[in-house]
Amino acid sequence: MGEFIIEGGRPLRGSLQVQGAKNSVLPILAATILHSGVSVLHHCPRLRDVDASIRILRQLGCRADWEGDDLVVDASTMVCSQIPDHLMREMRSSVIFLGAILSRCGEAELSLPGGCELGPRPIDLHLAALRQLGAEIDEGGGRLHCRAGDMCGREITLSIPSVGATENALLTACGCEGVTTIFNAAREPEIDDLQRFLRAMGHQVQGAGTSVVTVAGRSPTHDLEHTVMPDRIVAATYLAAVAAAGGEVELKGVDYRHLSTVIAALHEAGCRIHSTGSAVLLRSTGELKGVRPIRTAPYPGFPTDAQAVLMASLLKSKGTTVFVENIFENRYRHVDELCRMGADIRVEGRVAVVCGVERLRGAAVEATDLRGGAAMVVAALSAEGRSRIGSIHHVQRGYENIVGDLSALGACISLEA
């Protein structure tokens, strides 16, 4: 499994191209099965979750192979509509295949998904959306048995703007006759990227990025090439790392508008930031100050996925910062591990209060989940001495080459098997 070994105290300098977005490519990989043809994905990150999606595609009978830095999926050979339990357990996002398989095959069978333990994340919203479109779903024994039934385009309303439920409804609607309108849809940039992919395939989709998304019936589909958008959470992680360790780094290939709340918080903390249409430059002395309360919220609010890494960047700040986690109940699992490094964090329910300390000390810690593990990397870069971070398989689910990226910027970080 391995560990990250980090010697802290080195400023970061240089430029870096940000990887493709994990939260964008996973629904896009599911969408490749909507037509019996070939999809070429450029800028596709090589991640554990992407590998899990590839195994699911191959289980369904599709071909999925790397050609250099591109992932090529040929869904013409798809013969199966079932996903076995061991594949579904690998990641929470595996449930996104439900709508795509149902659209393509008219039926689907899969078990409940796995993933990071961040508290209750029921898929009830996904199932409710599909049922509103006419799908018949039987639940029992930890498995879902789904049939198209009288599926057709309808107006559906999500009770909350869930990203996954929006994506599943969108993929299901691509297989329905007539017009589907999704109200209270999630507005995340990754949904807009999915829309661009579906449009390139030939589907008539519009409204992504707003709270109302429409799909105008079945459309002829064809082969396509698509470039996956940059990962805004990876970008936020590296910006937080530079803020904590000090230095000057330019991130290339990112849309600063997708990072507006993170950039605003780091600017308030004392960083100097310059943004262009496709790059963000951050300068930091490593001496930060506390910021106004950070409240996570659906996009365009502060992303829950960036909460842990921003917290890690402010552990040595002057003053106090309050975090309020409004998305997941159990997203402070990283706090105890950060306190092993000397952090002063107090948690009560959904609120965490970070009181800046003078110094952090390297320590042996365990990654608790994907973003919590990234937070430990950020903290270790600004700590005195050596840190060892275990359970790094969590981090590898979302970061293609965090060791190589940070090493290129001057960090003393290595992977020890």
Side-chain angles (χ1 to χ4, degrees):
M1 187 177 296
E3 295 179 317
F4 293 144
I5 310 299
I6 300 175
E7 293 283 351
R10 297 192 180 190
L12 305 179
R13 302 188 186 279
S15 62
L16 199 65
Q17 192 80 25
V18 175
Q19 70 179 61
K22 164 187 175 287
N23 291 336
S24 179
V25 75
L26 298 182
I28 286 174
L29 285 171
T32 60
I33 66 178
L34 289 177
H35 83 113
S36 55
V38 176
S39 303
V40 180
L41 301 182
H42 305 296
H43 202 218
C44 181
R46 292 177 180 260
L47 305 170
R48 289 175 62 95
D49 279 8
V50 170
D51 290 340
S53 293
I54 289 173
R55 287 193 290 275
I56 289 175
L57 288 168
R58 290 172 176 167
Q59 167 68 28
L60 297 173
C62 304
R63 297 190 182 96
D65 299 291
W66 291 98
E67 294 185 2
D69 294 330
D70 300 331
L71 182 60
V72 180
V73 179
D74 183 354
S76 64
T77 56
M78 182 176 173
V79 294
C80 179
S81 61
Q82 300 178 349
I83 303 177
D85 181 72
H86 72 278
L87 291 179
M88 288 297 297
R89 287 181 179 273
E90 290 194 32
M91 62 175 182
R92 173 69 54 170
S93 300
S94 56
V95 74
I96 200 64
F97 279 89
L98 174 58
I101 295 173
L102 198 57
S103 292
R104 172 77 181 268
C105 303
E107 61 180 0
E109 182 179 341
L110 60 160
S111 62
L112 298 179
C116 287
E117 297 298 328
L118 302 178
R121 291 195 287 177
I123 63 170
D124 296 359
L125 295 173
H126 300 241
L127 304 185
L130 271 58
R131 284 177 171 133
Q132 289 184 66
L133 289 171
E136 300 172 357
I137 305 174
D138 296 325
E139 304 175 60
R143 292 192 68 78
L144 302 172
H145 302 265
C146 312
R147 293 174 295 278
D150 64 345
M151 273 188 359
C152 63
R154 292 182 170 92
E155 291 186 354
I156 66 175
T157 301
L158 302 180
S159 58
I160 62 173
S162 160
V163 175
T166 299
E167 292 166 342
N168 240 331
L170 178 54
L171 296 180
T172 306
C174 287
C176 295
E177 299 286 355
V179 177
T180 297
T181 305
I182 306 169
F183 294 101
N184 199 30
R187 300 164 59 188
E188 271 71 4
E190 291 80 9
I191 294 175
D192 184 52
D193 202 24
L194 176 60
Q195 174 178 271
R196 290 192 297 110
F197 177 82
L198 292 172
R199 281 180 171 176
M201 189 182 285
H203 291 285
Q204 301 175 53
V205 185
Q206 61 183 3
T210 75
S211 59
V212 181
V213 178
T214 61
V215 183
R218 291 176 177 267
S219 302
T221 56
H222 47 76
D223 296 349
L224 74 151
E225 297 185 23
H226 178 80
T227 300
V228 179
M229 67 173 283
D231 196 310
R232 61 193 173 103
I233 305 304
V234 170
T237 300
Y238 292 159
L239 291 176
V242 183
E248 178 177 328
V249 169
E250 180 184 38
L251 298 183
K252 299 179 180 179
V254 298
D255 189 331
Y256 72 92
R257 294 170 297 182
H258 298 163
L259 295 162
S260 60
T261 54
V262 176
I263 288 174
L266 291 173
H267 181 267
E268 184 180 348
C271 299
R272 297 172 58 191
I273 305 173
H274 176 69
S275 304
T276 65
S278 60
V280 176
L281 174 67
L282 184 144
R283 299 184 182 92
S284 172
T285 63
E287 297 181 0
L288 305 179
K289 57 185 178 181
V291 301
R292 286 171 289 185
I294 301 295
R295 297 179 172 87
T296 64
Y299 190 85
F302 192 93
T304 180
D305 280 353
Q307 171 255 109
V309 294
L310 181 67
M311 180 184 291
S313 74
L314 296 174
L315 297 179
K316 295 196 301 180
S317 62
K318 294 182 179 179
T320 300
T321 301
V322 175
F323 289 81
V324 183
E325 176 54 59
N326 293 312
I327 307 299
F328 295 125
E329 291 182 8
N330 195 21
R331 197 134 209 191
Y332 291 134
R333 298 177 65 211
H334 54 280
V335 166
D336 287 345
E337 298 301 303
L338 293 177
C339 289
R340 290 175 180 269
M341 296 183 181
D344 184 353
I345 311 171
R346 303 168 191 177
V347 176
E348 185 171 342
R350 292 181 177 268
V351 178
V353 180
V354 177
C355 299
V357 296
E358 185 175 346
R359 61 176 58 86
L360 297 174
R361 301 176 300 276
V365 295
E366 294 290 319
T368 54
D369 54 70
L370 169 53
R371 306 306 174 185
M376 290 166 213
V377 172
V378 171
L381 291 171
S382 66
E384 298 175 1
R386 172 175 292 192
S387 294
R388 304 179 71 94
I389 303 174
S391 300
I392 61 173
H393 61 282
H394 290 299
V395 181
Q396 292 168 332
R397 288 185 48 237
Y399 295 82
E400 183 175 36
N401 186 18
I402 195 169
V403 171
D405 287 346
L406 292 174
S407 294
L409 298 177
C412 183
I413 177 173
S414 61
L415 173 60
E416 185 174 285

